Amino acid sequence: MWRKQLVAPSWPWPCCQPQDRLRCLRWMPGCTRTTWSGCWRLLPRLLEMCTPSWTEWSGSIVLSYVAGIAWFLALVFPPLTQRTYMSENAMGSTMVEEQFAGGDRARAFARDFAAHRKKSGALPVAWLERTMRSVGLEVYTQSFSRKLPFPDETHERYMVSGTNVYGILRAPRAASTESLVLTVPCGSDSTNSQAVGLLLALAAHFRGQIYWAKDIIFLVTEHDLLGTEAWLEAYHDVNVTGMQSSPLQGRAGAIQAAVALELSSDVVTSLDVAVEGLNGQLPNLDLLNLFQTFCQKGGLLCTLQGKLQPQDWTSLDGPLQGLQTLLLMVLRQASGRPHGSHGLFLRYRVEALTLRGINSFRQYKYDLVAVGKALEGMFRKLNHLLERLHQSFFLYLLPALSRFVSIGLYMPAAGFLLLVLGLKALELWMQLHEAEVGLEEPGGAPGPSVPLPPSQGVGLASLVAPLLISQAMGLALYVLPVLGQHVATQHFPVAEAEAVVLTLLAIYAAGLALPHNTHRVVSTQAPDRGWMALKLVALIYLALQLGCIALTNFSLGFLLATTMVPAAALAKPHGPRTLYAALLVLTSPAATLLGSLFLWRELQEAPLSLAEGWQLFLAALAQGVLEHHTYGALLFPLLSLGLYPCWLLFWNVLFWK
Amino acid sequence: MAAAMPLALLVLLLLGRKGWCLAEPPRDSLREELVITPLPSGDVAATFQFRTRWDSELQREGDTDHYFLRYAVLPREVVCTENLTPWKKLLPCSSKAGLSVLLKADRLFHTSYHSQAVHIRPVCRNARCTSISWELRQTLSVVFDAFITGQGKKDWSLFRMFSRTLTEPCPLASESRVYVDITNYNQDNETLEVNPPPTTTYQDVILGTRKIYAIYDLFDTAMINNSRNLNIQLKWKRPPENEAPPVPFLHAQRYVSGYGLQKGELSTLLYNTHPYRAFPVLLLDTVPWYLRLYVHTLTITSKGKENKPSYIHYQPAQDRLQPHLLEMLIQLPANSVTKVSIQFERALLKWTEYTPDPNHGFYVSPSVLSALVPSVVAAKPVDWEESPLFNSLFPVSDGSNYFVRLYTEPLLVNLPTPDFSMPYNVICLTCTVVAVCYGSFYNLLTRTFHIEEPRTGGLAKRLANLIRRARGVPPL
């Protein structure tokens, strides 16, 4: 009986005239009688009738873009940015009294360490072992070696081999199920001696206390982050990056939190904290709150991104200063590199941050005792943790040390930008549909597009060639530079690192010549609908990629969306093509990287000249490739395999004939 | 009311003492001893043992039926005063006299290691085992840390360790002794001296090495009466250097490898540091069911080669009922590290099954290693009843081996944990609504409705249609 009722009203197709839009809408559920595909065909027509005219349509696209940018800028103003607060109960209410007084001891250790290091020219492993044992730790070493894919010119290393030294303070009467890590990465230059001194002095002080419930690992790594990566991989018994290392002899259970320390002077004027880790991962906000608590308690001057936090948020100055810090954070997070050795811990779900002692020209200085006390307080509170840090935010942006923007509040900014792509794609789809209808019913519903030559609908087959070719370019960009470095060095007078960077740029530029190549491959039966279909696919592809990136690393997603979206929306083979081309080149991933570098130095108040910027850009390219191979950073494959091919599709659209 | 309880206990004890006196004297006697072992690192280990035996009317009925054997372990238990107080109450003299006066909680819990045990077992009274006694043995081992307790000094005395000295033996005890390990680590001269000088010494092979102990018998009147108390002092003649302590022949390490919340690997490293002897080890693992073990990934490698266990018993887990049980007999080659690893997948629990602190992680109990470790020095077969109690901690089987049971560290494994908070609830609700709506909408959108004509005609019609199809005419 009910079946008959459902079927009974035969739906009048010709009702879809502009005058009875409402009726159409009302009848929309009627499409249940048809199949899904019928409904699908119906949708653009309905949208066309129920949406504003073309000018309103493009207006809304522009508005959406502007709204995205404005939303992001508004993030620094108080209703959107909130004060940070400690969520973790175990760390909030407990009182801790810092008793560290080993400043002299720390300086003596640092002096000895520096002397031994200078003498041996490498990490003084034997001295460290002896000293750690003398302060009562259980000491182990780990040797590792790694051949980088090509010489690292920034750090001047290629075949790397080194030794990590770590000492474990066993918590009394506990079963070694949990631990905390204090790590000092030591590079090839003679920095961080004071950090090692402070680490040893803290170890000596901690060893005398009986309140530890978690083991504490004091880790000194050689070759800074490479050593840390080797140690972490060996600790978790995995091999992610092809590091060769000896297995660890001593372990201390699941690592709950880690603090990396970088100190190169006996006195500091301020402590800078770095949170951005590998691939834009961030530690739990509570760890940062903890640091901030002890900054306030000890009266230390603490900075974020090297910027002091503004005091006054009611006037415009505070938020503007916050915006600088926020932009710096976005740029750093978007780079996906670990900004300090803490960044590598985050992969293993170990909440970690890096503290850097800064010694500037400021009058008031703090000695190592003040830093040591802050660290002691942090470790004592972390020792109180019952569960892993999980209460507070994992996804946040920081306009200041004591202010944050949560994910729920910053996500709309990226959402608005992606909406542009969505709207544009919808518009294209409707145009395509119109053209199709125009073909089917000659003389009916004339659209704004140019009259089309008689042809069948654009098959997806015609899109296969440009898609494949651009993806192949991406693959070449990903694989060839490192693979072909030796060939390049044989034929050209360049070093390996230069060869990699120049091959990168060459392949990147070669991609721009792509349209001329693909043109013969693509069937050109319906040129206008061809580019529309290609652009539609490219828009959806871009929107999907940016959406996924923004979910995992908001900063990168937002940065790429800001630059790529307008050019992507505008690109078409008509109109001012040179202007579009210039815009497209300026917003390509590589140009975005270059621009970001300039912006970054500008915000740090150390502006770059053009030549310096270019040098920095080349170095950044090499670093990006290296970091992918040594730490597993994903920015390079993401750009070369995902966004660059997608961008090439728009380039292809622009030069469609 | 609170005071009544200890009083009642005291009365019971007094009555009990009378009762015991009527029975055979040696049976129900208490033997107590304290072994003090100075470690080369400067730390001092102290092990208390108390043994009581009493007759029982219960008869031993043949062998234990293995079907009824149970093994249970609680990996998460931090020992504290709550464990010590009832344990002390089992002692006949409580902590009033004898060695147990040293058991002061505030000192015992300032140590770096603490282990406390109660063993109860039936003991045959005669060769044919027609009647049995029950044996209650209580042990307590602590390691005093030179760094924390000694404030950097490495000399020790009973007073410094326990903030008490010995005054009198427990009147109920038949034997009450203190043994101090005075073995020379250096061959040339004595490394440490004890004060007061011991009257007798005792030599034996413990854990495969020859040891010399100074004996202080509390029933020796000369020992106590000189100064009304006995405070044994221990002085290092040459303070031990800060060197890595000697490694035992068999030791083990266990850890979880991998990262992320989907998979992981349980790895156990078994070290045999004996220079030339291989020996077998029985490895017993119980793993909770929520770590789903992949048995085919079980790999045992020593020295880079596969090591095939001579015996494997595996009992798979049943969800929410029983854990995995894995028992293997592995031969450890001389001077080698054997790695036993098995992969697992982390199960998603029902939301009521999470502990109140789910983000702490879930404990996996330690593996148990039982082995007969070859000793360096051959031991004489000893009379168990006559030799000191600590001799039976690591019983020697045939003179060339001694038995060791090792427990590895427990593990803490994080399981995929939902965010037990308001947003989590909202997400759950939203997902449910979306799932319900999506299902029905999708169903409506994709289904084609058509009216089914009643079936008319049977075989005849079908036949007709067949013919029509053969002719190329549309069917009826």
Side-chain angles (χ1 to χ4, degrees):
Chain A
M1 203 45 210
W2 59 275
R3 277 186 185 165
K4 281 193 178 169
Q5 271 176 357
L6 260 178
V7 176
S10 70
W11 190 50
W13 279 88
C15 95
C16 277
Q17 297 302 323
Q19 62 266 25
D20 43 24
R21 281 178 190 173
L22 271 178
R23 230 179 104 202
C24 267
L25 274 180
R26 207 177 328 119
W27 277 107
M28 188 58 194
C31 70
T32 48
R33 70 177 274 280
T34 68
T35 57
W36 175 244
S37 61
C39 212
W40 194 242
R41 268 212 316 276
L42 188 69
L43 197 62
R45 206 181 262 210
L46 192 84
L47 276 170
E48 179 196 318
M49 284 180 300
C50 307
T51 45
S53 63
W54 294 118
T55 47
E56 290 171 41
W57 184 263
S58 44
S60 67
I61 290 177
V62 173
L63 196 68
S64 176
Y65 184 75
V66 172
I69 303 287
W71 188 286
F72 178 77
L73 294 179
L75 287 181
V76 288
F77 289 95
L80 291 181
T81 149
Q82 302 161 359
R83 282 194 163 277
T84 52
Y85 51 90
M86 188 74 89
S87 301
E88 176 62 60
N89 254 335
M91 295 198 307
S93 57
T94 46
M95 302 294 282
V96 164
E97 188 193 354
E98 300 90 62
Q99 293 165 330
F100 177 70
D104 294 331
R105 208 168 176 194
R107 274 188 293 278
F109 278 136
R111 238 177 290 123
D112 280 7
F113 175 75
H116 278 91
R117 193 182 187 184
K118 207 171 173 185
K119 206 162 67 187
S120 65
L123 196 71
V125 175
W127 180 84
L128 267 176
E129 272 188 277
R130 211 167 49 240
T131 317
M132 279 189 177
R133 202 161 281 141
S134 77
V135 300
L137 301 183
E138 206 182 298
V139 190
Y140 302 96
T141 57
Q142 182 218 6
S143 55
F144 64 93
S145 68
R146 175 78 219 258
K147 187 182 169 217
L148 300 183
F150 57 91
D152 181 357
E153 295 198 329
T154 326
H155 298 99
E156 288 170 357
R157 57 192 181 192
Y158 183 36
M159 310 279 282
V160 181
S161 66
T163 312
N164 296 326
V165 185
Y166 64 105
I168 304 177
L169 191 169
R170 297 282 179 198
R173 296 181 310 285
S176 286
T177 47
E178 295 167 274
S179 57
L180 305 171
V181 173
L182 176 62
T183 173
V184 172
C186 288
S188 49
D189 47 353
S190 59
T191 52
N192 265 0
S193 301
Q194 275 75 8
V196 175
L198 188 56
L199 172 132
L200 291 171
L202 274 174
H205 173 66
F206 286 179
R207 184 64 175 82
Q209 314 305 320
I210 57 155
Y211 42 65
W212 299 112
K214 298 175 172 50
D215 290 5
I216 302 177
I217 302 175
F218 297 90
L219 169 68
V220 180
T221 61
E222 202 174 0
H223 299 294
D224 43 49
L225 299 198
L226 280 177
T228 315
E229 179 68 31
W231 187 81
L232 278 170
E233 284 185 15
Y235 193 92
H236 294 94
D237 202 5
V238 289
N239 199 337
V240 190
T241 60
M243 184 84 67
Q244 274 140 20
S245 61
S246 59
L248 294 194
Q249 298 287 315
R251 283 188 170 77
I255 305 175
Q256 304 289 307
V259 177
L261 184 65
E262 291 178 18
L263 266 183
S264 301
S265 54
D266 283 345
V267 286
V268 294
T269 50
S270 60
L271 271 184
D272 190 52
V273 59
V275 284
E276 302 86 358
L278 189 69
N279 297 325
Q281 272 187 292
L282 297 171
N284 194 285
L285 190 58
D286 265 345
L287 194 61
L288 193 75
N289 294 340
L290 182 67
F291 169 68
Q292 204 222 331
T293 312
F294 282 97
C295 270
Q296 281 177 345
K297 192 175 175 190
L300 281 166
L301 194 64
C302 293
T303 56
L304 182 72
Q305 320 287 355
K307 302 265 180 201
L308 281 174
Q309 63 168 334
Q311 299 301 320
D312 182 21
W313 285 86
T314 46
S315 72
L316 201 61
D317 289 348
L320 277 184
Q321 211 180 330
L323 184 64
Q324 283 192 357
T325 319
L326 183 71
L327 276 175
L328 274 171
M329 173 167 182
V330 165
L331 288 176
R332 273 179 144 194
Q333 198 189 1
S335 76
R337 1 178 1 188
H339 287 271
S341 63
H342 75 281
L344 301 173
F345 282 85
L346 296 172
R347 175 190 292 157
Y348 303 92
R349 224 207 131 184
V350 177
E351 309 308 323
L353 44 77
T354 293
L355 304 185
R356 277 196 190 97
I358 309 283
N359 195 12
S360 68
F361 302 112
R362 200 176 278 271
Q363 281 278 306
Y364 195 81
K365 311 238 182 207
Y366 304 93
D367 61 350
L368 293 184
V369 176
V371 183
K373 277 189 172 171
L375 280 169
E376 186 197 355
M378 285 176 74
F379 271 87
R380 284 201 62 180
K381 282 216 174 178
L382 288 171
N383 181 47
H384 289 160
L385 276 184
L386 292 176
E387 302 180 61
R388 259 171 206 275
L389 284 171
H390 69 283
Q391 299 270 11
S392 195
F393 293 86
F394 283 97
L395 301 160
Y396 51 86
L397 290 177
L398 296 166
L401 198 54
S402 61
R403 300 259 167 177
F404 78 104
V405 186
S406 81
I407 178 170
L409 292 173
Y410 67 61
M411 229 35 205
F416 277 124
L417 293 187
L418 295 183
L419 187 65
V420 173
L421 296 179
L423 289 178
K424 197 72 195 169
L426 208 58
E427 184 192 335
L428 268 179
W429 184 38
M430 278 156 49
Q431 280 178 354
L432 270 174
H433 180 75
E434 234 163 60
E436 197 179 334
V437 171
L439 285 175
E440 280 170 5
E441 307 165 25
S449 62
V450 289
L452 297 162
S455 73
Q456 267 62 54
V458 181
L460 286 176
S462 67
L463 301 179
V464 170
L467 278 173
L468 271 184
I469 290 177
S470 60
Q471 282 297 333
M473 278 314 278
L475 196 65
L477 189 66
Y478 176 65
V479 176
L480 283 185
V482 175
L483 210 64
Q485 51 171 322
H486 300 297
V487 182
T489 45
Q490 275 163 15
H491 292 87
F492 301 98
V494 283
E496 275 96 343
E498 279 176 321
V500 170
V501 173
L502 294 178
T503 322
L504 263 182
L505 287 176
I507 296 175
Y508 196 91
L512 303 191
L514 189 69
H516 313 286
N517 299 340
T518 49
H519 223 260
R520 289 183 207 104
V521 187
V522 179
S523 73
T524 51
Q525 266 189 326
D528 220 23
R529 290 193 24 227
W531 73 259
M532 278 188 191
L534 184 60
K535 189 176 169 185
L536 177 62
V537 170
L539 280 174
I540 293 170
Y541 188 28
L542 184 65
L544 274 177
Q545 282 192 39
L546 290 181
C548 294
I549 296 171
L551 278 179
T552 51
N553 183 352
F554 169 80
S555 299
L556 182 61
F558 181 77
L559 202 67
L560 287 170
T562 322
T563 50
M564 290 183 80
V565 161
L570 286 176
K572 59 179 173 186
H574 313 296
R577 286 226 298 215
T578 23
L579 189 70
Y580 288 157
L583 187 64
L584 207 53
V585 168
L586 280 180
T587 56
S588 80
T592 308
L593 176 60
L594 186 64
S596 302
L597 285 174
F598 278 103
L599 179 63
W600 181 51
R601 293 297 288 264
E602 192 65 45
L603 286 169
Q604 283 196 323
E605 286 151 22
L608 284 170
S609 70
L610 269 178
E612 279 174 338
W614 181 251
Q615 284 305 318
L616 206 60
F617 173 66
L618 295 183
L621 285 181
Q623 284 301 308
V625 180
L626 264 182
E627 269 159 19
H628 168 59
H629 287 280
T630 47
Y631 311 128
L634 290 177
L635 185 66
F636 172 55
L638 203 68
L639 290 185
S640 59
L641 294 176
L643 285 160
Y644 173 67
C646 188
W647 180 84
L648 275 185
L649 291 180
F650 289 107
W651 187 257
N652 209 337
V653 166
L654 187 63
F655 289 99
W656 194 275
K657 276 182 194 155
Chain B
M1 191 59 209
M5 276 297 287
L7 207 73
L9 268 172
L10 201 70
V11 170
L12 266 176
L13 277 176
L14 287 173
L15 284 175
R17 189 186 156 200
K18 257 180 207 161
W20 287 341
C21 286
L22 299 173
E24 287 173 75
R27 287 254 164 263
D28 49 22
S29 64
L30 168 76
R31 280 179 72 179
E32 54 176 16
E33 65 178 46
L34 163 63
V35 185
I36 298 176
T37 318
L39 303 173
S41 61
D43 302 344
V44 171
T47 305
F48 290 87
Q49 277 207 59
F50 303 91
R51 193 185 79 180
T52 326
R53 277 183 183 170
W54 67 95
D55 292 349
S56 161
E57 298 310 314
L58 289 170
Q59 291 302 305
R60 193 183 160 90
E61 293 172 11
D63 274 345
T64 318
D65 189 347
H66 283 249
Y67 186 74
F68 294 113
L69 274 182
R70 291 288 182 274
Y71 171 73
V73 61
L74 183 67
R76 180 189 195 172
E77 174 79 13
V78 179
V79 182
C80 71
T81 14
E82 279 180 358
N83 308 84
L84 184 68
T85 314
W87 186 88
K88 274 201 298 196
K89 284 181 182 164
L90 293 174
L91 298 172
C93 285
S94 187
S95 53
K96 302 282 185 292
L99 295 177
S100 48
V101 292
L102 300 177
L103 299 173
K104 294 297 288 184
D106 59 335
R107 303 303 295 173
L108 289 183
F109 292 111
H110 263 224
T111 51
S112 60
Y113 176 79
H114 186 114
S115 149
Q116 203 176 310
V118 176
H119 307 260
I120 186 153
R121 61 165 188 164
V123 181
C124 293
R125 233 187 294 177
N126 50 26
R128 288 175 52 230
C129 215
T130 49
S131 60
I132 56 161
S133 297
W134 285 94
E135 180 185 280
L136 171 70
R137 184 195 292 239
Q138 290 172 260
T139 61
L140 177 85
S141 302
V142 286
V143 176
F144 288 92
D145 191 342
F147 266 87
I148 295 176
T149 335
Q151 280 94 40
K153 290 179 189 161
K154 288 177 179 173
D155 295 344
W156 291 94
S157 67
L158 281 187
F159 188 76
R160 185 190 277 260
M161 284 193 274
F162 301 103
S163 73
R164 287 282 185 286
T165 52
L166 292 170
T167 49
E168 52 177 340
C170 173
L172 298 175
S174 65
E175 190 185 302
S176 182
R177 284 179 178 176
V178 180
Y179 293 83
V180 182
D181 184 354
I182 51 167
T183 319
N184 275 349
Y185 293 104
N186 274 2
Q187 294 302 316
D188 328 329
N189 48 2
E190 286 189 347
T191 44
L192 48 87
E193 68 169 356
V194 279
N195 196 20
T199 45
T200 46
T201 56
Y202 171 78
Q203 271 201 32
D204 201 357
V205 175
I206 301 293
L207 280 174
T209 46
R210 192 169 296 285
K211 299 265 187 184
I212 307 168
Y213 291 93
I215 303 181
Y216 298 89
D217 194 342
L218 294 194
F219 282 107
D220 185 355
T221 45
M223 199 55 81
I224 297 281
N225 281 357
N226 282 349
S227 55
R228 293 298 301 151
N229 68 37
L230 175 65
N231 181 21
I232 301 167
Q233 289 172 327
L234 200 147
K235 278 201 173 71
W236 288 94
K237 277 187 170 172
R238 301 200 321 174
E241 296 293 315
N242 279 309
E243 58 196 19
V247 256
F249 284 151
L250 172 68
H251 60 112
Q253 194 187 23
R254 195 163 185 234
Y255 56 89
V256 184
S257 35
Y259 60 92
L261 287 178
Q262 198 202 346
K263 285 184 180 177
E265 194 172 33
L266 286 177
S267 306
T268 313
L269 295 179
L270 310 175
Y271 293 85
N272 174 6
T273 57
H274 200 287
Y276 51 84
R277 288 266 313 256
F279 56 85
V281 164
L282 190 67
L283 177 76
L284 172 71
D285 248 335
T286 46
V287 180
W289 64 265
Y290 39 78
L291 303 188
R292 304 193 190 284
L293 293 185
Y294 293 140
V295 188
H296 71 278
T297 61
L298 175 71
T299 48
I300 305 165
T301 47
S302 3
K303 291 184 167 174
K305 277 181 287 185
E306 197 194 335
N307 186 341
K308 217 172 157 63
S310 44
Y311 159 78
I312 291 191
H313 170 69
Y314 175 67
Q315 196 178 335
Q318 285 172 26
D319 281 7
R320 299 173 180 86
L321 288 180
Q322 73 173 31
H324 302 267
L325 181 82
L326 183 61
E327 202 176 9
M328 290 179 288
L329 190 67
I330 305 167
Q331 182 81 10
L332 303 185
N335 204 4
S336 70
V337 185
T338 305
K339 185 178 178 186
V340 181
S341 62
I342 185 164
Q343 289 178 11
F344 64 84
E345 193 182 83
R346 297 162 207 243
L348 195 63
L349 301 186
K350 290 179 182 168
W351 69 279
T352 46
E353 285 169 348
Y354 285 96
T355 51
D357 50 354
N359 283 288
H360 178 64
F362 290 76
Y363 282 90
V364 177
S365 56
S367 349
V368 187
L369 296 169
S370 316
L372 286 174
V373 181
S375 48
V376 176
V377 189
K380 300 186 297 286
V382 286
D383 179 13
W384 294 112
E385 289 306 311
E386 294 306 311
S387 61
L389 291 177
F390 65 84
N391 236 338
S392 53
L393 270 184
F394 303 104
V396 177
S397 66
D398 61 351
S400 63
N401 294 315
Y402 56 93
F403 178 77
V404 170
R405 180 166 290 150
L406 280 186
Y407 293 83
T408 64
E409 52 268 69
L411 300 175
L412 196 55
V413 179
N414 274 85
L415 293 187
T417 310
D419 171 20
F420 290 106
S421 61
M422 196 269 288
Y424 168 68
N425 296 331
V426 173
I427 290 168
C428 283
L429 189 70
T430 323
C431 287
T432 315
V433 171
V434 168
V436 169
C437 292
Y438 175 77
S440 44
F441 269 93
Y442 184 75
N443 192 359
L444 277 177
L445 287 173
T446 50
R447 179 168 294 181
T448 36
F449 295 100
H450 57 90
I451 298 164
E452 200 174 291
E453 296 295 331
R455 279 179 61 172
T456 47
L459 192 67
K461 192 177 172 186
R462 258 186 268 169
L463 269 176
N465 276 342
L466 268 179
I467 298 163
R468 286 174 81 95
R469 193 177 296 159
R471 283 170 54 205
V473 182
L476 283 172

